[in-house]
Amino acid sequence: MTTETLRLVTPETPWRVRSKSQLVYIFIASTLPAALTFLIADQMKLAGLIALTIVFLPLQLLAASLAALITVGKRGILDAILTVSVLFLMLTMGFLLGSVALSLVQKGFKALSFHAIYQNSFYVTSVTSLEYGGLGHALVGTLVIVGIAVIFAVPIGIAVGVFLTETQSRMRGSVRFLSQAMTGLPSIVSGLFVFAFLYLTGWVQRSAILGSVALFLLMLPTIIRLSEEVLKLVPQELRYAALALGAPRHKAFFQVIFPAARSGIITTCLLGTARVIGETAPLIVLVTYLPSTNFNPLSGDMASMPTYIYSWLKFSTDLANQRAWGGALALMILVGVLFTLARFFGRKRF
Amino acid sequence: MESLNPISSNSFGADVHLSTKDVHVWFGQRHVLEGVNLEFPVNSVTALIGPSGCGKSTFIRTLNRMHELIPNAKLAGEVLLKGQNIYAVGVDPIQVRINIGMVFQKPNPFPTMTIRGNVLSGLRLSGKHSRNEDELVENSLQAASLWNEVKDRLDSPAGSLSGGQQQRLCIARALALAPDVLLMDEPCSALDPGSTIRIEETIRSISKNMTVVIVTHNMQQAQRVSEQTAFFLAEDNNPGYVVEAGLTNDIFHNPKDKRTEDYVSGRFG
């Protein structure tokens, strides 16, 4: 008997079912404002963006509130207002992001091709056809400059994060304060600091490593802050469990706490890298753009993606413009590739 | 306050394994535990009972130097393991914790390790080695009565176990180091009756060659597993202390102190 009845039962979500009158109100509240906006904008010849913000948004808020008042009651009003506002903001942000990505692809894809990835721009002028030359030198430069900054900032930043979470030292307060203050360091100031402190004093000759140092300074506070937050998320019970088994602090960290925080730590490195990979100001100050390839960070000028883009923007020809857009698109793709790789390696095993 | 009725080794008829001499505990300026004198005979099970906030958990953490991990923790008095003060200058807390294992209130297996990895984690973390790891894993899981449930999936993550199984895994993890003393801080408070009974069976079997100290809120559990019992109490913001300690049978059926009688008969707490 039971098997027969059981077969008739289907999974449902009764909490989502709406009555017919509710559906009618929702329909009216979601179509009427848009229709009215079209009419008004047409009559008064308003521009699209103005109609959207001055006419549509208030109308939609009003309609949603009224519909909520009738179907739910007073407490529905705030919900309706927040829902409409959040959706509106979300669509606005999505539109902005989408249009940035779209214009990058539209204007940049012509300058990107297979040869553009490995060729440099040594013989390229502002009127050279896009069939020749590329941004390989800038790609190499960015990877070298940012790579050196990452190699130093990641271990040091994580070590400071560990110091802040895993020790009871009295210095923690001041270290935390200083690293937070460093977060607000404008990138141009970081560049000028390195220029004055390392270059003008003659300690370091003109080279790409100056740029790495500036990016390191910008990256470090981000990594410290994020790795501290990530390590704080590891439950205290796990630390106690490890120590109660007779683990020295360092083994408890490397075998228990770090593995538990691993995916967060990788995200931390990513966000730190993302913070500096498109950084332009310190590189313009410190590392002069070079149209040919230079692998040596310790001497000579070097190209990088931001300075590559900047160097082509200085010309007014269409071709130079397209090369600049191509550089911007390549930078975005590079960031995308790095993020995907890090996500892949940082995924949770369990 | 003068501590009453320290458990005497003679009343139990076995050598004293672990004992405390006038242990006081503070957190910052707050005095939370006062003058605890207790003795834990070799291979006995001792239950620590008392209302919440009376300092049982704090006390048990002083027994393997986990107490000092809490910021602002202070301590006075001595904890003697086979006559040697574990708080003496020069004693390595790591060695103390290897000798005196601990099981916590909330099951806390290492989520990034497998079941097998969790059992062996004590070895890895304390830098010990074992000739036959497979045998150690099996023996430890057998002792924690978890082997039959997990023997076919030793390489699955520890997080895939149920709460009761996780707690028994934590016990197996502690047993793998073969400690002399096992401290258990309300090990069954988050578990269902079935898991509780299995853990009590585990306690009875490991106590044949291990000294066990268990904090519990469950009076029936204290009577079922322990040979001796200490009753802790803290009154109105005063530090906690031991009201009465002795053989479990006496504490529950023939208490000397009125407050003990009220507590074990469920009149307060």
Side-chain angles (χ1 to χ4, degrees), chain B residues 36-49:
Chain B
V36 180
N37 292 296
L38 287 175
E39 293 183 347
F40 306 96
V42 171
N43 300 348
S44 65
V45 179
T46 305
L48 309 180
I49 60 169

Side-chain angles (χ1 to χ4, degrees), chain B residues 16-210:
Chain B
V16 174
H17 196 176
L18 184 68
S19 62
T20 64
K21 288 234 159 66
D22 200 27
V23 165
H24 291 250
V25 169
W26 295 262
F27 289 120
Q29 296 298 312
R30 205 158 53 89
H31 198 173
V32 295
L33 207 53
E34 186 175 55
V36 180
N37 292 296
L38 287 175
E39 293 183 347
F40 306 96
V42 171
N43 300 348
S44 65
V45 179
T46 305
L48 309 180
I49 60 169
S52 294
C54 65
K56 309 178 297 293
S57 295
T58 303
F59 173 71
I60 205 172
R61 292 172 70 97
T62 63
L63 297 180
N64 69 339
R65 296 193 60 169
M66 289 298 285
H67 172 62
E68 68 207 53
L69 297 175
I70 297 166
N72 288 329
K74 307 252 169 28
L75 175 125
E78 291 182 342
V79 177
L80 304 169
L81 179 66
K82 292 174 185 157
Q84 158 90 44
N85 183 11
I86 62 169
Y87 285 97
V89 177
V91 172
D92 184 4
I94 287 166
Q95 206 52 47
V96 170
R97 292 179 197 139
I98 292 173
N99 288 334
I100 306 180
M102 188 162 198
V103 175
F104 295 81
Q105 183 172 0
K106 231 173 90 185
N108 54 3
F110 299 128
T112 53
M113 298 182 193
T114 61
I115 293 171
R116 189 186 141 86
N118 263 278
V119 178
L120 293 173
S121 61
L123 292 185
R124 306 253 189 282
L125 285 166
S126 62
K128 279 189 170 185
H129 294 281
S130 169
R131 285 217 201 103
N132 193 339
E133 291 188 342
D134 290 335
E135 199 181 305
L136 179 70
V137 169
E138 182 173 347
N139 289 344
S140 306
L141 288 169
Q142 291 270 20
S145 57
L146 186 62
W147 174 251
N148 287 331
E149 290 157 65
V150 301
K151 63 184 173 196
D152 298 323
R153 49 175 178 141
L154 290 175
D155 289 320
S156 14
S160 67
L161 297 174
S162 75
Q165 289 172 328
Q166 289 189 9
Q167 189 66 305
R168 276 179 279 148
L169 179 61
C170 292
I171 295 175
R173 181 174 70 182
L175 294 178
L177 279 172
D180 299 331
V181 181
L182 187 64
L183 310 175
M184 304 176 108
D185 186 2
E186 295 183 47
C188 303
S189 66
L191 306 184
D192 65 295
S195 305
T196 304
I197 285 170
R198 312 199 65 162
I199 288 181
E200 287 178 12
E201 283 165 3
T202 303
I203 293 171
R204 272 196 295 272
S205 72
I206 61 174
S207 69
K208 285 182 191 114
N209 45 20
M210 201 177 286

